[in-house]
Amino acid sequence: MSAHDVVLPLSPVDADFVLADLDPDSTPGMESKKAAEKELAAGRESLDSLQERLFAESRFGGERSVLLVLQAMDTAGKGGIVRHVVGGIDPQGVHIHAFKAPTDEEKEHDFLWRIRKQLPGHGSIGVFDRSHYEDVLIHRVRGFSSPEVIEERYGIINEFEAEVVASGTTIVKVMLHISKEEQKARLEERLDRPDKNWKYNPGDVDERLLWNDYQEAYQIALTRTSTPDAPWFAVPANHKWYARWAVQGLLLDAMTRLDPQWPAADYNVEAEKARLAAS
Amino acid sequence: MSAHDVVLPLSPVDADFVLADLDPDSTPGMESKKAAEKELAAGRESLDSLQERLFAESRFGGERSVLLVLQAMDTAGKGGIVRHVVGGIDPQGVHIHAFKAPTDEEKEHDFLWRIRKQLPGHGSIGVFDRSHYEDVLIHRVRGFSSPEVIEERYGIINEFEAEVVASGTTIVKVMLHISKEEQKARLEERLDRPDKNWKYNPGDVDERLLWNDYQEAYQIALTRTSTPDAPWFAVPANHKWYARWAVQGLLLDAMTRLDPQWPAADYNVEAEKARLAAS
């Protein structure tokens, strides 16, 4: 795959973006499930190959990496993205971290403290399953922080991400957008199937009852923190096959723009051949 | 796959084991590359499914996990095992750590300090690419520690691993065994191919010149630390397809013996269905 083959499936969120106007059932840029799955399978190899080059580059001084931030309402399919998109990459080049409710130790620090510790190393692809955005999402909806503190955080996040990008990390932020009806169907399935019961938590319904508040919190967070350096993409996610294809496309685009190359040896190849032959 | 389908491809190392007698070209229990690759593909799904159950179990209080320890001479194929065997498992359930030369901070602590920090969480499969065994391998060969200190470490390792096993972690230790000639061919390939140059390090030949010392260090480490609780398996690895099949078999055997089950809901399913319906 060359740099010219990748076309962004979606536009980044801009100031005029309205989440409520994005149809979770839509599949922009992709006509069918069959075509999406075919491209997903092919893209897996491209992504794996690009990541290997990025990793190789880092072994000879390269300092670049990629960070995929995943945010969504429960059941929107973050886990499926990790399994089906990221799962095609050599696991040695991937660092996945799921941010849960902060521990007591984490609460004693700035909200970005635990985030910084999980940033991907050089040559790696980092994946955040939830992130520092919880501090302006659930914190806003549940009132865990005051409006003044939350107001300040949008700017702090933008500064933080600009710093991360300047240090060599390409940031791709994805919000998986499902409808309230689709969430109900997916939660029902978790209750209906004994092999899915473990994925259900009574707290999921408590959060669901605050659906509109969360949509509003996402609307604000997405528009205030989508920057040219670290754009947000809102991905329609009622069709899992679409969301997986689209997120893979976003990652492929980011990696293709990085265009990592096999590094030149920093040792004398002919001299090493001679040493090896004599060993 | 039922518990009865898994047959260990290899016997664990015992007191009579002689590494020098194990033919790195041999393929015990498997007749052909084609058959091995077919079983590897099928085993991937079984392994992924077993891991998901182990993970589910952990969400409802289960405290079990699996740790795969990989040790080998350079080029023996540790990376290929991670990519082709572990890579078939949902990455959210896997924790891989490559132990490099210890940092200054790590050197200030007991040699197991950095190891303990990377043990897998409940429900996860941990993979150690190199491990605490470096402290009785390269340390022995290079004299980084005194003979007395190294002598003491075999017992310390056995006690440590017994403690880890008692806490719920199944340990599978694998030494990938290649021949000196095969290593030469693989290093030559890294020097011949520009897209493999990054995998070569001049230090690899320095270590290769100490081949016999390393074999002796492995012989001692394997026989002194292969316990019923945490056995070693020496896997012939001149044929990559064989080593991958065999290591997958060892993991499948461990996971099948754990026999994880979907946990029963710890909430009232019918009550939750009613709450969800009303939401």
Side-chain angles (χ1 to χ4, degrees):
Chain A
M1 173 163 306
S2 80
H4 305 288
D5 289 325
V6 176
V7 178
L8 266 189
L10 294 159
S11 303
V13 167
D14 61 19
D16 299 327
F17 174 80
V18 179
L19 182 59
D21 290 346
L22 178 67
D23 180 0
D25 266 321
S26 64
T27 62
M30 177 47 67
E31 68 278 15
S32 73
K33 179 175 180 178
K34 196 176 163 191
E37 289 180 341
K38 197 176 161 193
E39 287 196 17
L40 188 71
R44 208 166 267 151
E45 278 180 46
S46 305
L47 204 50
D48 184 43
S49 163
L50 285 161
Q51 195 282 323
E52 190 180 9
R53 286 173 191 240
L54 193 69
F55 186 79
E57 186 187 273
S58 78
R59 285 293 160 277
F60 284 70
E63 299 187 344
R64 302 192 296 176
S65 61
V66 173
L67 174 62
L68 174 66
V69 175
L70 294 174
Q71 284 288 160
M73 298 297 287
D74 285 328
T75 77
K78 291 189 276 84
I81 296 290
V82 173
R83 178 186 279 265
H84 296 277
V85 178
V86 181
I89 305 169
D90 187 340
Q92 293 160 104
V94 174
H95 178 75
I96 301 165
H97 191 79
F99 289 95
K100 309 290 185 189
T103 62
D104 287 343
E105 187 191 16
E106 288 169 350
K107 282 182 190 165
E108 283 173 15
H109 293 83
D110 171 68
F111 77 103
L112 294 173
W113 181 73
R114 64 177 189 158
I115 306 295
R116 291 181 192 274
K117 293 202 289 184
Q118 301 297 339
L119 289 170
H122 301 158
S124 288
I125 297 182
V127 180
F128 284 179
D129 175 353
R130 304 186 187 274
S131 66
H132 43 300
Y133 284 96
E134 293 296 326
D135 295 272
V136 292
L137 292 168
I138 191 171
H139 276 244
R140 184 182 189 100
V141 172
R142 291 275 182 192
F144 292 165
S145 301
S146 71
E148 296 72 27
V149 165
I150 287 169
E151 179 60 32
E152 201 178 34
R153 279 185 184 157
Y154 300 112
I156 292 172
I157 287 174
N158 286 341
E159 281 172 33
F160 164 66
E161 293 182 355
E163 172 201 315
V164 171
V165 169
S167 77
T169 302
T170 298
I171 300 182
V172 178
K173 299 185 291 196
V174 167
M175 188 262 182
L176 299 174
H177 185 48
I178 55 168
S179 65
K180 197 175 176 189
E181 298 67 36
E182 179 67 19
Q183 189 193 52
K184 189 178 220 170
R186 293 184 186 183
L187 287 172
E188 278 170 354
E189 193 191 11
R190 292 181 180 184
L191 286 168
D192 284 339
R193 288 177 51 178
D195 65 331
K196 297 273 187 190
N197 280 178
W198 67 276
K199 292 189 174 188
Y200 181 89
N201 183 316
D204 297 345
V205 170
D206 300 333
E207 297 300 298
R208 176 175 168 76
L209 292 170
L210 300 166
W211 185 272
N212 292 342
D213 296 337
Y214 273 106
Q215 298 298 303
E216 188 190 353
Y218 270 109
Q219 168 68 33
I220 298 168
L222 265 57
T223 47
R224 293 197 56 181
T225 63
S226 191
T227 62
D229 271 350
W232 271 108
F233 295 89
V235 176
N238 273 6
H239 296 291
K240 291 179 182 175
W241 56 263
Y242 177 77
R244 291 168 190 171
W245 171 82
V247 175
Q248 186 190 64
L250 294 171
L251 272 182
L252 273 172
D253 172 70
M255 297 288 288
T256 305
R257 279 186 287 118
L258 289 179
D259 193 24
Q261 300 296 327
W262 298 120
D266 61 357
Y267 51 82
N268 184 323
V269 174
E270 293 310 315
E272 290 301 319
K273 282 183 184 174
R275 282 182 74 216
L276 178 60
S279 73
Chain B
M1 173 164 303
S2 80
H4 305 287
D5 289 326
V6 176
V7 179
L8 265 190
L10 294 157
S11 303
V13 166
D14 61 19
D16 299 327
F17 174 80
V18 179
L19 182 60
D21 291 346
L22 179 67
D23 180 359
D25 267 321
S26 64
T27 62
M30 177 46 66
E31 68 278 14
S32 74
K33 179 176 180 178
K34 197 176 161 189
E37 290 179 343
K38 196 176 161 192
E39 288 197 17
L40 188 70
R44 207 167 269 150
E45 278 180 48
S46 306
L47 203 49
D48 184 43
S49 163
L50 284 161
Q51 195 281 324
E52 191 180 9
R53 285 173 191 240
L54 193 68
F55 186 79
E57 184 186 274
S58 78
R59 285 294 161 278
F60 285 69
E63 299 188 344
R64 303 191 295 176
S65 61
V66 173
L67 174 62
L68 173 66
V69 175
L70 294 173
Q71 285 288 159
M73 298 298 287
D74 285 328
T75 78
K78 290 189 277 82
I81 295 290
V82 173
R83 179 186 278 266
H84 296 277
V85 178
V86 180
I89 306 168
D90 187 341
Q92 293 159 104
V94 174
H95 178 77
I96 301 166
H97 191 80
F99 289 95
K100 309 289 184 189
T103 62
D104 287 343
E105 188 191 15
E106 287 169 351
K107 281 182 189 165
E108 283 173 17
H109 294 83
D110 170 68
F111 76 104
L112 294 174
W113 181 73
R114 63 177 189 158
I115 305 296
R116 290 180 193 274
K117 292 203 291 184
Q118 300 297 339
L119 290 170
H122 301 157
S124 288
I125 297 182
V127 180
F128 283 180
D129 174 354
R130 304 186 187 275
S131 66
H132 44 300
Y133 284 97
E134 293 296 327
D135 295 273
V136 292
L137 293 166
I138 192 171
H139 276 245
R140 183 181 189 101
V141 172
R142 291 276 181 189
F144 292 164
S145 299
S146 71
E148 294 73 25
V149 165
I150 288 169
E151 179 60 32
E152 201 177 35
R153 280 185 183 157
Y154 301 111
I156 292 172
I157 287 174
N158 286 342
E159 280 172 35
F160 164 66
E161 292 182 355
E163 172 201 314
V164 171
V165 169
S167 77
T169 302
T170 298
I171 300 181
V172 179
K173 299 184 291 194
V174 168
M175 188 261 182
L176 298 174
H177 185 49
I178 56 168
S179 65
K180 196 175 178 189
E181 298 67 36
E182 179 66 20
Q183 189 194 52
K184 189 179 221 169
R186 293 185 186 183
L187 287 173
E188 277 168 355
E189 193 191 14
R190 292 181 180 185
L191 286 168
D192 285 339
R193 289 177 51 178
D195 65 330
K196 297 272 187 192
N197 281 179
W198 67 277
K199 290 190 174 187
Y200 181 89
N201 183 317
D204 296 346
V205 170
D206 301 332
E207 296 300 298
R208 176 173 167 77
L209 293 170
L210 300 166
W211 184 272
N212 291 343
D213 295 337
Y214 273 105
Q215 297 299 303
E216 188 190 352
Y218 270 109
Q219 168 68 34
I220 297 166
L222 265 58
T223 46
R224 293 199 53 183
T225 62
S226 192
T227 61
D229 269 350
W232 270 109
F233 295 89
V235 176
N238 274 6
H239 296 291
K240 290 177 182 175
W241 55 263
Y242 177 76
R244 291 169 190 171
W245 171 81
V247 175
Q248 186 190 64
L250 294 170
L251 273 182
L252 273 173
D253 171 71
M255 297 288 288
T256 305
R257 276 186 288 118
L258 288 179
D259 193 23
Q261 300 296 325
W262 298 119
D266 61 358
Y267 50 83
N268 184 323
V269 174
E270 293 310 316
E272 290 301 320
K273 281 185 185 176
R275 283 182 73 218
L276 178 61
S279 72

